[in-house]
């Protein structure tokens, strides 16, 4: 794949404009000039004049003037220029040219082009503003103020300040997001509820008895474990039990924010809540009738109905009778199941690991309709219906998806018999069974961001949609992807490729030899931006619970007393986006700092310690693959 085949002349010319200085600094440019002369890009007298120069500084200035002349006088031949200098023999003499070609291949050249376009746009806007009359300037200022009020959320004071200064900002400055206000947005003497403050937009302080925690708004709305206490996540019901109030049946009245029950906040529209399972347990039974599978407990779906005490007594008595007949080993297995309800399958589970032959994937219950309707099985490369999955795996004409697709060693048909999976009627007209073209396109990609694990924002203030890759099933929020996805790319109808696909597609075009670890660390990050972005996205997507995504000091009170230099994945992503790192070593040091801090703070917490070790091993393994590290030692900084 030649980058010159899919780039137009304007893009190549802008790229040339940004890198004239780098090319003028090449040592011994005789071969470079010979190649330009052989392709009639420069004249013979210019070639001889520059080639005879002995002084390095004079020769660099002369070479820059030649390149500048090419840009002004021979711009129509820009593709010829890049074609001739990207010959393998020429790039072997000049590493600078190989690095420039790699930048065209991995797409990082867009950063340079956008910068020059932004500068040109700012200069054009300045010229327009000079020509405007005072009345026209006033109208422009008012319109900009209104736009900013609609676009940005925050306190009234902040909006007034932004509206008054909007006419003085450049277009690039207007795109910057507003900083979070960590103080009260209210004026002195005013009263207001803290759940309306910007600082509590994503999480709220909550209490139950003597226990204190932080409530994550998004997780509550999705029915997930949403209250964190000392790095441990709880559902509202589990948090009530953790606070020693197991007898309380209604968490909405027991869990409070500033002495206000959560039920009142939900009723008033300040919080959104999904349905949670209650703590009332029914008799245990196995998902599959086999001794090889751990039994699981089923829980009632409706959170709002309180458990009947008589029912509870019946359940407890029946469980006692059944446990009397069971062996000690079975009792231990049941206790482990109660402690780890997520490790086994029940009716409330939404994702199942499946396989057919050597091909593995995950079946998503919400997408399942039948064998042919609904792309419900996600593999590394695509979403498939059960029939497509089995055809991909076995390629047998007489294959049966109910029998040949396995879940925990049992046929998928068992899940259907147990009503865990339900086949839609032939007359069903839902989006899975009767999809239009848009629905079919949506089924090709994930329903949630592969980085932050949240779905498309529905709030008007956010206006953040999922951006889907056209070459893999991944989806991203604009600012979760690295580099951030610009609005212009979303409006563009051309296929878009995420960083995962860009890196893996272009791996074969890199000509790196094996490196020592120190050599890889000393590389300029500007030449390895794609590699570092890929590595960070790998780690962030593997952080399923988003444990290392945000600053731990925000929700762990004693964290700053133990850890003096906090670091988190979101901070590293921001520094990469803003190009604040100079070398690969600086980037790797920050990533390793996260794992070092995790090990120091969680010495007595095996669960979080293992999470950190798992991500560290993933990063070390991918780093060695990406930079082709020669030694076998782990990366230590």
């Amino acid at each position: 794949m030649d980058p010159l085949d899919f780039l137009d002349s304007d893009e190549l010319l802008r790229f040339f404009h940004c890198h004239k200085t780098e090319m003028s600094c090449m040592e011994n440019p005789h071969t470079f000039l010979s190649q330009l002369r052989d392709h009639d890009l420069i004249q013979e007298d210019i070639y001889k004049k520059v080639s005879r120069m002995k002084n390095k500084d004079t020769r660099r200035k002369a070479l820059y003037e030649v390149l500048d002349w090419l840009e002004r006088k021979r711009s129509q031949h820009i593709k010829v220029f890049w074609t001739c200098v990207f010959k393998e023999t020429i790039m072997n003499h000049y590493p600078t040219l190989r690095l420039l070609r790699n930048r065209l291949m991995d797409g990082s050249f867009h950063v340079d082009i956008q910068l020059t376009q932004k500068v040109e746009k700012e200069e054009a806007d300045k010229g327009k503003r000079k020509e405007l009359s005072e009345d026209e300037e006033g109208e422009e200022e008012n319109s900009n103020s209104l736009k900013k009020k609609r676009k940005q959320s925050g306190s009234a004071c902040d909006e007034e300040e932004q509206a008054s200064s909007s006419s003085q900002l450049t277009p690039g400055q207007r795109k910057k997001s507003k900083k979070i206000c960590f103080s009260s947005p209210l004026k002195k003497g005013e009263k207001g509820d803290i759940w309306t403050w910007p600082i509590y937009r994503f999480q709220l302080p909550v209490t139950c008895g003597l226990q204190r925690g932080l409530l994550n708004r998004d997780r509550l709305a999705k029915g997930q474990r949403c209250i964190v206490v000392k790095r441990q996540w709880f559902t509202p019901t589990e948090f009530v039990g953790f606070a020693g109030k197991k007898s309380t049946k209604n968490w909405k009245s027991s869990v409070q924010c500033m002495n206000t029950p959560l039920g009142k906040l939900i009723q008033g529209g300040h919080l959104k809540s999904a349905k949670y399972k209650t703590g009332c347990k029914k008799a245990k039974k196995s998902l599959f009738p086999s001794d090889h599978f751990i039994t699981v407990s089923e829980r009632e779906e409706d959170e709002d109905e309180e458990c009947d005490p008589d029912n509870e007594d019946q359940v407890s008595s029946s469980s006692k009778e059944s446990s009397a007949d069971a062996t000690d080993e079975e009792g231990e297995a049941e206790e482990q199941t109660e402690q780890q309800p997520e490790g086994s399958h029940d009716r409330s589970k939404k994702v199942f690991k499946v396989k057919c032959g050597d091909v593995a994937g995950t079946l998503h219950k919400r997408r399942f309709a039948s064998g042919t309707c609904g792309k419900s099985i996600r593999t590394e490369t695509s979403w498939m219906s059960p029939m497509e999955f089995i055809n991909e795996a076995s390629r047998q004409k007489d294959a049966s998806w109910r029998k040949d697709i396995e879940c925990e060693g049992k046929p998928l048909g068992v899940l259907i018999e147990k009503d865990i999976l339900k086949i839609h009627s032939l007359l069903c007209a839902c989006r899975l069974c009767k999809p239009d073209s848009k629905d079919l396109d949506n089924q090709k990609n994930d329903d949630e961001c592969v980085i932050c694990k949240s779905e498309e924002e529905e709030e008007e203030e956010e206006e953040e949609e999922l951006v889907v890759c056209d070459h893999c099933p991944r989806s991203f929020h604009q600012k979760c992807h690295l580099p951030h996805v610009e609005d212009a790319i979303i409006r563009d109808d051309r296929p878009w490729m995420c960083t995962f696909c860009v890196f893996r597609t272009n791996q074969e075009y890199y000509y790196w030899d094996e490196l020592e670890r120190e050599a890889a660390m000393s590389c300029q990050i500007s030449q390895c931006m794609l590699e570092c972005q890929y590595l960070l996205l790998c780690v962030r997507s593997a952080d399923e619970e988003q444990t290392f995504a945000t600053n731990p000091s925000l929700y762990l009170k004693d964290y700053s007393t133990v850890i003096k230099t906090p670091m988190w994945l979101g901070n590293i992503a921001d520094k990469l986006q803003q190009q604040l790192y100079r070398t690969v070593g600086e980037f790797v040091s920050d990533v390793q700092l996260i794992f070092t801090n995790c090990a120091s703070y969680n010495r007595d917490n095996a669960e979080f310690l293992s999470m950190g070790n798992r991500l560290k091993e993933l990063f070390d393994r991918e780093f060695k693959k990406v930079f082709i590290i020669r030694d076998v030692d782990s990366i230590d900084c």
Side-chain angles (χ1 to χ4, degrees):
M1 183 174 65
D2 194 330
L4 303 181
D5 292 338
F6 56 85
L7 294 175
D8 56 39
S9 297
D10 289 339
E11 289 177 312
L12 292 174
L13 192 61
R14 289 182 182 276
F15 184 71
F16 179 89
H17 176 79
C18 295
H19 297 283
K20 289 187 296 184
T21 303
E22 294 177 48
M23 290 187 286
S24 67
C25 295
M26 294 187 298
E27 296 292 333
N28 302 319
H30 177 79
T31 304
F32 176 75
L33 290 170
S34 301
Q35 184 75 344
L36 296 183
R37 180 195 60 180
D38 294 344
H39 285 77
D40 297 325
L41 291 172
I42 61 173
Q43 299 172 353
E44 183 71 23
D45 57 339
I46 295 177
Y47 163 74
K48 291 179 178 179
K49 182 179 179 181
V50 178
S51 300
R52 285 196 296 263
M53 293 180 177
K54 302 297 182 183
N55 185 278
K56 290 185 178 181
D57 292 335
T58 305
R59 188 169 56 203
R60 286 193 190 116
K61 291 179 181 178
L63 183 55
Y64 183 86
E65 290 177 1
V66 170
L67 296 173
D68 191 55
W69 177 83
L70 278 171
E71 182 184 9
R72 289 184 287 104
K73 301 295 185 181
R74 299 290 177 90
S75 59
Q76 69 274 22
H77 301 307
I78 190 64
K79 279 198 175 184
V80 177
F81 171 83
W82 289 118
T83 302
C84 72
V85 300
F86 282 163
K87 298 294 183 183
E88 189 64 30
T89 53
I90 305 300
M91 289 191 294
N92 287 339
H93 280 80
Y94 304 107
T96 299
L97 294 176
R98 188 178 296 283
L99 292 173
L100 291 179
R101 187 178 189 276
N102 288 343
R103 295 205 70 182
L104 286 176
M105 292 298 300
D106 61 31
S108 58
F109 71 94
H110 283 297
V111 177
D112 305 323
I113 292 177
Q114 289 168 3
L115 181 61
T116 56
Q117 289 174 336
K118 186 181 292 186
V119 172
E120 291 173 1
K121 186 177 179 182
E122 289 175 359
E123 291 177 353
D125 289 346
K126 286 180 182 179
K128 288 180 180 179
R129 282 198 292 271
K130 288 181 180 179
E131 296 175 359
L132 290 173
S133 63
E134 292 181 359
D135 294 338
E136 291 172 332
E137 287 179 349
E139 291 175 4
E140 186 181 5
E141 182 178 355
N142 291 334
S143 64
N144 287 338
S145 301
L146 290 174
K147 287 180 182 177
K148 292 184 74 64
K149 286 182 180 179
R150 285 196 298 267
K151 241 180 151 184
Q152 298 182 346
S153 60
S155 63
C157 296
D158 291 333
E159 288 183 350
E160 290 174 5
E161 291 175 4
Q162 291 167 357
S164 63
S165 60
S166 62
S167 62
Q168 300 174 4
L169 297 175
T170 63
Q173 289 172 321
R174 290 195 187 105
K175 290 183 180 178
K176 291 183 179 178
S177 59
K178 187 181 68 176
K179 293 183 179 179
I180 297 176
C181 175
F182 287 96
S183 59
S184 170
L186 304 174
K187 295 180 179 178
K188 191 173 182 180
E190 289 183 347
K191 293 183 178 180
D193 301 321
I194 69 166
W195 43 82
T196 62
W197 296 6
I199 186 178
Y200 296 120
R201 183 180 178 185
F202 301 106
Q203 54 191 13
L204 284 175
V206 292
T207 58
C208 182
L210 299 177
Q211 288 294 337
R212 299 177 180 273
L214 282 176
L215 171 72
N216 186 294
R217 290 174 178 260
D218 290 338
R219 284 173 172 255
L220 177 68
K222 295 175 183 176
Q224 301 173 348
R225 286 191 167 101
C226 59
I227 300 176
V228 62
V229 181
K230 294 182 179 179
R231 280 218 163 209
Q232 188 173 358
W233 286 95
F234 299 93
T235 63
T237 305
E238 291 170 346
F239 180 62
V240 171
F242 181 71
K245 295 192 175 185
K246 292 183 179 179
S247 59
T248 305
K249 304 299 180 185
N250 191 354
W251 61 265
K252 292 184 178 179
S253 60
S254 301
V255 183
Q256 299 182 348
C257 174
M258 299 297 289
N259 299 322
T260 302
L262 294 190
K264 189 174 181 180
L265 297 183
I266 294 170
Q267 215 170 18
H270 300 293
L271 285 177
K272 293 180 181 179
S273 173
K275 288 187 177 182
Y276 280 88
K277 310 166 196 172
T278 64
C280 181
K281 299 177 184 177
K282 295 182 180 178
K284 294 176 179 289
K285 71 176 183 179
S286 174
L287 174 62
F288 299 119
S290 170
D291 295 336
H292 298 290
F293 295 93
I294 300 175
T295 56
V296 298
S297 61
E298 293 182 358
R299 299 168 182 255
E300 293 184 359
E301 296 281 340
D302 193 355
E303 62 169 357
D304 296 325
E305 296 181 4
E306 297 182 0
C307 297
D308 185 16
D310 296 333
N311 265 346
E312 193 172 353
D313 292 338
Q314 293 174 8
V315 171
S316 60
S317 63
S318 64
S319 62
K320 287 178 182 177
E321 291 174 4
S322 62
S323 63
D325 298 330
T327 62
D328 293 338
E329 291 181 358
E330 289 173 343
E332 291 176 4
E334 289 181 356
E335 288 179 6
Q336 292 176 359
T337 306
E338 289 181 6
Q339 295 173 1
Q340 299 176 348
E342 293 182 355
S344 52
H345 297 314
D346 58 19
R347 295 180 188 276
S348 64
K349 186 156 186 179
K350 298 178 181 179
V351 180
F352 303 89
K353 291 183 178 180
V354 295
K355 64 180 300 185
C356 181
D358 296 330
V359 182
T362 53
L363 186 146
H364 294 247
K365 185 176 179 180
R366 64 185 290 183
R367 284 187 173 218
F368 178 79
S370 67
T372 56
C373 297
K375 294 185 181 295
S376 55
I377 299 180
R378 164 65 146 88
T379 66
E380 181 64 25
T381 57
S382 63
W383 281 91
M384 305 178 185
S385 66
M387 281 300 298
E388 291 171 339
F389 180 69
I390 198 170
N391 290 337
E392 179 74 17
S394 64
R395 304 192 182 279
Q396 297 177 6
K397 293 182 179 180
D398 58 346
S400 170
W401 63 270
R402 297 188 191 213
K403 295 179 181 179
D404 295 339
I405 297 178
E406 296 182 349
C407 175
E408 292 189 353
K410 292 290 182 178
L412 199 61
V414 176
L415 294 180
I416 299 172
E417 293 173 5
K418 299 292 182 181
D419 285 337
I420 296 172
L421 291 179
K422 294 184 179 180
I423 296 181
H424 291 202
S425 165
L426 292 175
L427 301 177
C428 179
C430 71
R431 291 182 176 179
L432 294 174
C433 298
K434 302 292 183 183
D436 56 24
S437 57
K438 185 177 180 181
D439 293 331
L440 286 173
D441 285 339
N442 290 337
Q443 289 185 37
K444 294 178 182 178
N445 291 86
D446 299 336
D447 299 321
E448 62 180 18
C449 175
V450 72
I451 302 301
C452 69
K453 317 302 178 188
S454 62
E455 298 182 7
E456 183 174 326
E457 299 288 350
E458 295 181 357
E459 298 182 10
E460 292 182 1
E461 293 179 355
E462 294 291 337
E463 295 183 353
E464 188 174 6
E465 299 177 352
L466 287 176
V467 185
V468 300
C469 178
D470 293 296
H471 296 80
C472 76
R474 297 182 181 87
S475 300
F476 303 84
H477 287 125
Q478 287 181 251
K479 293 185 179 179
C480 289
H481 186 266
L482 288 175
H484 292 173
V485 183
E486 300 294 337
D487 293 336
I489 294 177
I490 297 178
R491 292 191 296 267
D492 196 337
D493 293 334
R494 289 180 294 181
W496 177 73
M497 185 182 288
C498 71
T499 293
F500 286 101
C501 296
V502 171
F503 175 77
R504 288 168 181 167
T505 302
N506 294 303
Q507 262 185 312
E508 58 184 289
Y509 294 99
Y510 292 111
Y511 298 94
W512 290 359
D513 295 325
E514 286 188 355
L515 296 175
E516 296 288 347
R517 185 187 61 189
E518 291 76 10
M521 295 291 194
S522 62
C523 290
Q524 292 295 315
I525 201 168
S526 59
Q527 310 301 333
C528 305
M529 185 60 73
L530 174 66
E531 289 79 5
C532 294
Q533 289 170 342
Y534 167 77
L535 287 170
L536 189 61
L537 289 178
C538 283
V539 176
R540 294 189 72 188
S541 61
D543 184 15
E544 294 288 342
E545 298 296 327
Q546 298 294 284
T547 306
F548 305 95
T550 56
N551 186 357
S553 302
L554 296 178
Y555 51 87
L556 296 174
K557 292 183 178 179
D558 63 335
Y559 192 81
S560 58
T561 61
V562 180
I563 303 300
K564 301 304 180 185
T565 312
M567 185 55 62
W568 58 99
L569 295 176
N571 187 25
I572 298 175
D574 291 339
K575 293 172 75 173
L576 267 183
Q577 179 66 25
Q578 299 170 26
Q579 301 183 11
L580 299 181
Y581 293 114
R582 291 176 298 177
T583 64
V584 173
E586 292 179 2
F587 161 73
V588 174
S589 295
D590 273 358
V591 176
Q592 293 294 345
L593 182 58
I594 294 177
F595 306 135
T596 303
N597 291 346
C598 175
S600 300
Y601 185 78
N602 296 292
R603 291 176 181 174
D604 300 325
N605 193 329
E607 179 184 357
F608 289 99
L609 193 60
S610 63
M611 286 184 187
N613 290 337
R614 179 176 61 84
L615 288 184
K616 183 180 186 302
E617 290 172 3
L618 169 68
F619 180 78
D620 290 351
R621 184 168 62 251
E622 290 297 322
F623 185 89
K624 291 175 183 177
K625 290 180 183 177
V626 168
F627 287 96
I628 317 178
I629 302 301
R630 184 179 303 160
D631 60 351
V632 295
D633 298 328
S634 61
I635 303 167
D636 297 319
C637 295

